Amino acid sequence: MIPGGGQPNMQELLQQAQKMQQDLARAQEELADALVDGQAGGGLVKATVNGSGELRGLVIDPKAVDPEDTETLADLVVAAVHAANENAQQLQQEKLGPLAQGLGGMPGMPF
């Protein structure tokens, strides 16, 4: 309900919703194009993911490859991908967080 008992201006609400939808779509496109890195083992393994968390690249330094110890290499890969995904989540919060907060600021909306 609007303070003072008036009805929300539906045209204004629709325009705000359309703008937020466009802003969200633009932010999602930017996330899909953005690349973030994560590394493990002091940089022996580096993973690159896009802002949506999709793995886009993996670089393994030859020093990390020991045929007798593939478990350590696997652990380093997992750690690097995990670090890159954490960075992607932080980027998502930076890009999408302000848009989500905008939902609560729309007059007449119960958020």
Side-chain angles (χ1 to χ4, degrees):
M1 182 156 243
I2 301 291
Q7 292 295 319
N9 180 331
M10 293 307 286
Q11 183 67 25
E12 186 177 314
L13 287 176
L14 286 174
Q15 288 174 347
Q16 288 178 344
Q18 283 179 327
K19 182 183 180 322
M20 289 177 62
Q21 197 171 29
Q22 291 168 347
D23 291 346
L24 180 60
R26 187 172 27 260
Q28 289 173 328
E29 287 176 19
E30 290 175 10
L31 283 172
D33 292 338
L35 297 177
V36 293
D37 295 318
Q39 61 179 347
L44 290 175
V45 177
K46 297 178 185 176
T48 301
V49 299
N50 68 8
S52 300
E54 297 172 351
L55 184 63
R56 295 297 186 181
L58 186 64
V59 177
I60 301 173
D61 188 304
K63 293 180 221 162
V65 180
D66 178 358
E68 302 297 318
D69 186 14
T70 57
E71 281 185 38
T72 298
L73 178 57
D75 289 343
L76 290 173
V77 169
V78 169
V81 171
H82 179 73
N85 277 322
E86 284 183 346
N87 291 336
Q89 288 176 349
Q90 182 177 350
L91 183 61
Q92 289 172 6
Q93 289 177 343
E94 291 171 10
K95 293 278 186 188
L96 300 177
L99 295 174
Q101 291 172 358
L103 290 174
M106 289 181 64
M109 299 303 286
F111 300 114

